[in-house]
Amino acid sequence: MEHVPPPAEELARLDRELAELDARRAQLLTRRAWLLAALRPPAPTAAPGWNPSAWGAPAAGRPGAPAQPWGYVPPKRPSAPHSAQNLLLTLGGLLLTVAAIAFTLVSWGSMGIGGRSAVLAAVTVGALAAPAVLLRRGLTATAEALAALALVLTLLDAYAVHAVAAPDTDGLGFTAVAAAVLAALWTAYGLALGKLHLPLPAAVVLAQWPLLFGAWAAGAPTLVVGWALLATAVLDGAIALWGKDTGVRVTACVGGSVMAFSALMVGLTLSVTASGPLGALAPGALLLTAAAAALAGAWRAPRGFARTGGVVAGLAAVAAVGGVPAAAVPEGWRVLAYLLAGLGLTAVVRTRLPGNAAIGVLVASAAVVAGALVGAVPGLAAVLLGPVTLPSDVWAGSPEGFRAAVGSTLPWPKLAAAPVVLALVAGLLGAAYRWWPSLARIAAPLIARETPESAGAPAPGASGEGAPGAAAPAAGAPWYAGGRAGAPWYAGGAPAARRRPSGAALRGAAGAGAAVLGWGALLLAGAVLDVPYAVAVAGETLLVAGLLALAVRGAGSGRDGSAAVPVTALVVAVAGAVSAGLLSLASEGASYAVFGALAALFAGAAVRAGAGVPRAVFAVAATVGSTVLTGFAGRSLGLAPHEAAPLVLLVPALTVLFGARLRRNPVALPVELTGALGALVAVVLAVPDAPFLALVLALCGVLAAGAAVRPERRPVAGYLAAALFVLATWVRLAASEVSFPEAYTLPVTVPALVVGFLRRRKDPEASSWTAYGPGLAATLLPSLAVVWTDPGWQRPLLLGVAALVITLLGARYRLQALLLLGGAVLALDGLHELAPYVVQVAGALPRWLPPALAGLLLLVVGATYEQRLRDARRLKDALGRMR
């Protein structure tokens, strides 16, 4: 027996446990406050005269600081009036700057040469000397403001010297010299007054222009301008790497990026537009120098900048090396030269370049390959999407060649290298998939050179738990070779799986890419060579066969645990089958041959494939191909679309038999659903002719009844068969122009209601929908459909009375089917009778009244929304309690 303590003892025990929880919570809050203080950056040095301890509170971040409760927000301290001071200083400096500009531009001419020299010397020297005095007194903000004024004054001095002392000199040349002098002056000034933050970044900005303006002033060719831009970018890179001030480094990074991009654009433009290989050598030298400079900067730059530098270096090297042979080949083959140069960048894995920079170079190589592949997209899209227009003119006749069948106006000679590009990349990816372990061993030194922070790994000498000196656990194959799960990041296990793709996934992606690109290369080659139409159709069909073989073989082998190759082959095979089928519609013989071959191929693949999704896809595709063949047979026999509809039902009938044979096999349901879609196509074809539509609906009902024989299909197929038979009867009656459907429906309704009544007496829990629903719907629904086209008053009256009686019986005996069916028919019948009067009244009302009434109704419903919601719930519950 379980001992139950007395209430007093149990209460005392609960109080003790709650007290222990409160003490533990207070301990955890204290520890949390200490950790937050330890992680907070150190507070800035307090200004003279400010002593936080004088207020009786410890300084922020001190380990002994008292813990605050959860959610505590400390009160804001009164802020020092720095913002107002900075605003006043900024406005003062701005006003002085405006005054200096106005004086230089307006009042300069009224003074003699001596006065001018004296004013310039006095104001400039004063503005330059004042910050030194102010810094010694601790007035840093004021010194910064006067330094900004001094910068503007030096610029105005340069302008004044050019306007008065050397008005005849070239403006660009004078600007280049002035910018160099001012950059040197402000560099020395900033180094002398190290506490000022403005002079050194301003000197960096001024240093951007001397070489560029000097080259322009000398009338140098574009290539020399590119060298000037590159030299400036190199200078900026050196400042960004070795500079100590953050503002200087950021300014140098921005300026260097702009100048380097401009230099690369100059070199690339000259290389692309060169008239021959010799003309591309000089721009290539500029681009190679830029690549070397980017690599030199990436050698010691942080991770992000190192990778960016590697990307820039790789792209520049490709443009330089590939530009020379590209200038010697026709336009359509130039992409191949750049692609080969980009692939050559992969040799970086065998160099001693730092890991991050090498990764950037590899990214550049991948970008070049992707760009080359993008160039083949228009041609491949034209080959795949061009036959889409053929279904509008089926069997119009075989075209002469592949291009005529595609119907594209692309400049095919310029796409001559596209198949070669696709084939080359596909071959390399296939080789990588085949020899992946060897490739992983080659890439191992690069992975080892990658910095720990970039890989998300602990620093060298530290274990995953942060204990210094802990030895790394033993690892199996590295992640890039498909290491085992549970191993550390460099062995392919968790938690690196969240950061890196596994080796098996990368290998599978390579194999999938090889399959897609190889298929695209063969398709595009046929269009570029303009092979005959028959060869193109046969070639596309053979490609589908090869892809299906790859999908079946890959799904069965499960090589390396990767499903990427078989899944990709399956998707591409389906796309290729659609393309080949559309292409074959130009010729009757080709249509039969292609769709027959595709149906056989997919059926064979379904037989050979193992259980699973691919097998179901194969079976569905075979069913679709067979359905299309039956449609072709109707067209060949000269049948109208509605006359060919019963012939289309042949395949759905076979799927019903096939499903009965397979029973609960996972393939059975997809095949039967595909057959049902084929039956729906037959119904759509028969819509223009009512008698054929009734026949097709009846045949579909027979097929549904045949499927309902099986217990697993009975819940759906049984009701579907009944609905199809009833619908076929109604369509047949409408086709025979029967004006009194009650003569045919009442003989069905009466015995159906009697059977339902007997069913309810035997089983009172049976639903009213099962007992009375079919019988009532057999008469009410056809009569309601006729009422809406009957101009007389007798049928609407009789139908309304019958619906009213049925509704009252449903409410009296709490039968849901009678209540809802009778009420719905009564409402629609009444709406039919009131519709003319409603239209007449609506035409007599002002145009503004209906929107106003609608808005008022919405307001009322919104104001009583909760009450209406409760009423709706009560109505739902009341209906739910009915049988």
Side-chain angles (χ1 to χ4, degrees), residues 433 504 507 550-566:
Y433 178 77
R507 182 177 188 179
L550 181 61
V552 172
R553 180 181 179 184
S557 63
R559 188 173 186 177
D560 297 329
S562 174
V565 175

Side-chain angles (χ1 to χ4, degrees), residues 395 584-593 632 636:
W395 297 351
S584 68
L585 295 179
S587 171
E588 181 177 2
S591 298
Y592 278 107
F632 288 161
S636 297

Side-chain angles (χ1 to χ4, degrees), residues 376-395:
V377 168
L380 190 58
V383 171
L384 293 177
L385 302 179
V388 172
T389 60
L390 292 178
S392 61
D393 194 12
V394 178
W395 297 351

Side-chain angles (χ1 to χ4, degrees), residues 485-569:
W489 70 268
Y490 44 82
R498 297 190 296 269
R499 304 186 185 98
R500 299 178 181 274
S502 66
L506 291 175
R507 182 177 188 179
V516 174
L517 296 179
W519 169 70
L522 293 175
L523 284 182
L524 199 53
V528 171
L529 298 175
D530 196 17
V531 298
Y533 172 74
V535 175
V537 172
E540 288 203 24
T541 308
L542 290 176
L543 285 177
V544 173
L547 289 169
L548 287 177
L550 181 61
V552 172
R553 180 181 179 184
S557 63
R559 188 173 186 177
D560 297 329
S562 174
V565 175
V567 169
T568 304

Side-chain angles (χ1 to χ4, degrees), residues 548 551-552 570 602-603 605-607 609 613-623:
L548 287 177
V552 172
L570 174 59
F602 279 102
V607 173
V613 176
R615 188 175 187 181
V617 174
F618 295 145
V620 167
T623 306

Side-chain angles (χ1 to χ4, degrees), residues 598-672:
L598 291 177
L601 287 173
F602 279 102
V607 173
R608 293 295 302 273
V613 176
R615 188 175 187 181
V617 174
F618 295 145
V620 167
T623 306
V624 172
S626 302
T627 304
V628 175
L629 284 175
T630 58
F632 288 161
R635 184 178 177 87
S636 297
L637 294 174
L639 301 177
H642 64 273
E643 295 174 340
L647 188 61
V648 176
L649 291 177
L650 179 61
V651 174
L654 293 177
T655 59
V656 172
L657 298 176
F658 187 71
R661 171 72 174 146
L662 291 179
R663 291 291 177 179
R664 298 186 181 275
N665 192 293
V667 179
L669 182 59
V671 170
E672 290 182 85

Side-chain angles (χ1 to χ4, degrees), residues 619-845:
V620 167
T623 306
V624 172
S626 302
T627 304
V628 175
L629 284 175
T630 58
F632 288 161
R635 184 178 177 87
S636 297
L637 294 174
L639 301 177
H642 64 273
E643 295 174 340
L647 188 61
V648 176
L649 291 177
L650 179 61
V651 174
L654 293 177
T655 59
V656 172
L657 298 176
F658 187 71
R661 171 72 174 146
L662 291 179
R663 291 291 177 179
R664 298 186 181 275
N665 192 293
V667 179
L669 182 59
V671 170
E672 290 182 85
L673 291 177
T674 308
L677 291 178
L680 181 60
V681 172
V683 171
V684 173
L685 292 175
V687 166
D689 190 273
F692 267 94
L693 178 60
L695 174 63
V696 171
L697 289 173
L699 292 176
C700 291
V702 172
L703 295 179
V709 174
R710 298 159 54 195
E712 66 273 12
R713 300 286 185 262
R714 189 169 302 152
V716 176
Y719 288 106
L720 181 60
L724 288 172
F725 283 133
V726 173
L727 185 59
T729 303
W730 294 347
V731 172
R732 180 67 258 185
L733 293 176
S736 301
E737 299 181 355
V738 174
S739 58
F740 294 97
E742 292 82 5
Y744 299 90
T745 58
L746 284 176
V748 176
T749 296
V750 173
L753 293 178
V754 172
V755 172
F757 177 75
L758 297 176
R759 168 72 184 277
R760 288 273 299 174
R761 288 190 61 182
K762 184 178 179 180
D763 182 14
E765 298 298 325
S767 171
S768 62
W769 289 101
T770 304
Y772 304 118
L776 292 175
T779 294
L780 291 179
L781 297 182
S783 298
L784 181 63
V786 176
V787 159
W788 278 86
T789 59
D790 190 355
W793 59 272
Q794 295 89 353
R795 179 178 278 108
L797 177 60
L798 294 175
L799 180 62
V801 172
L804 177 61
V805 173
I806 293 172
T807 304
L808 294 177
L809 289 175
R812 170 65 179 82
Y813 295 102
R814 306 180 64 80
L815 298 175
Q816 190 180 99
L818 276 67
L819 180 62
L820 293 182
L821 273 175
V825 172
L826 181 61
L828 292 175
D829 184 65
L831 179 62
H832 169 263
E833 294 302 306
L834 293 177
Y837 304 101
V838 172
V839 172
Q840 184 178 0
V841 172
L845 292 177

Side-chain angles (χ1 to χ4, degrees), residues 103 109 158 245 295 352 356 488 493 580 630 709 728 861:
F103 173 79
D245 184 74
L295 278 183
R352 301 190 60 84
N356 288 314
T630 58
V709 174
V861 173

